[in-house]
Amino acid sequence: MGNRAQNTQQINAAIAPTWAAISDMGAVEHWHPNVARVDVLTDHHRGLGASRRVEFHDGNSVIETVVEQSEPNAIAMTLPDFGPLKNLVVTIRIVERANERLEVTFSIDYDLRFGPLGWLLHALVMKRAFRKIFGISLDGLRYHLETGNLVADSVPALAAS
């Protein structure tokens, strides 16, 4: 894969509930503010081969399938090709820090069609867009884990520590 975009945040949470929120294919609608609905498409909600259809508030949807997992620190999911993007893999990694503080990273690796024009698209548009989307995702995950509240279509502000 030739292109990568990522975003990382610190979260005040234990690894077990963080892993539970990330690895359960049906749980993303509890913490991701852009997700309107999730349908788990497999008999199992976790582990290799687990698959879901994620419907977003804007009407778009995507099917994600778990292709790699290293419990409780990493999960990778494939997404179907769309537009100029192909061979998409989203990875979520959790690194434990001191005092129930985690570093959570969302990343996407993908190839682009259109040769040099695709590379320019990545450099000027896609990398920034994915970082923004991942920032929103991480804000929702952090809010959900730190407060125990569900996230609707936006992330409420956390009280200052």
Side-chain angles (χ1 to χ4, degrees), residues 3-7 106-108 110 122 127 130-131 134:
N3 301 286
R4 169 174 278 200
Q6 68 181 34
N7 198 330
F106 282 49
S107 64
I108 187 165
Y110 57 94
H122 165 75
K127 195 171 188 176
F130 280 124
R131 282 184 183 160
F134 291 154

Side-chain angles (χ1 to χ4, degrees), residues 24-42:
D24 181 340
M25 295 300 274
V28 69
E29 69 184 346
H30 298 162
W31 54 265
H32 197 303
N34 292 342
V35 173
R37 178 184 158 153
V38 175
D39 293 313
V40 177
L41 304 175
T42 51

Side-chain angles (χ1 to χ4, degrees), residues 11-115:
I11 295 177
N12 293 316
I15 197 160
T18 304
W19 179 252
I22 290 170
S23 65
D24 181 340
M25 295 300 274
V28 69
E29 69 184 346
H30 298 162
W31 54 265
H32 197 303
N34 292 342
V35 173
R37 178 184 158 153
V38 175
D39 293 313
V40 177
L41 304 175
T42 51
D43 290 336
H44 56 291
H45 282 232
R46 300 176 190 279
L48 294 176
S51 185
R52 67 185 172 202
R53 178 187 337 276
V54 179
E55 295 179 21
F56 300 98
H57 290 292
D58 67 5
N60 289 313
S61 68
V62 66
I63 295 176
E64 301 173 325
T65 302
V66 177
V67 293
E68 290 181 41
Q69 183 172 297
S70 176
E71 186 174 340
N73 298 102
I75 188 168
M77 296 167 280
T78 58
L79 285 81
D81 295 354
F82 63 94
L85 307 174
K86 59 182 185 173
N87 304 321
L88 292 94
V89 177
V90 171
T91 303
I92 304 171
R93 295 190 194 288
I94 305 168
V95 176
E96 289 184 272
R97 300 295 182 205
N99 303 323
E100 290 195 345
R101 190 143 176 92
L102 305 175
E103 182 178 274
V104 181
T105 301
F106 282 49
S107 64
I108 187 165
D109 293 285
Y110 57 94
D111 293 321
L112 279 161
R113 304 178 208 284
F114 314 127

Side-chain angles (χ1 to χ4, degrees), residues 131-160:
R131 282 184 183 160
K132 181 177 180 180
I133 291 167
F134 291 154
I136 292 167
S137 305
L138 286 160
D139 286 344
L141 180 64
R142 183 171 60 90
Y143 176 81
H144 175 65
L145 291 168
E146 291 180 6
T147 68
N149 296 329
L150 300 180
V151 173
D153 59 354
S154 64
V155 180
L158 287 169

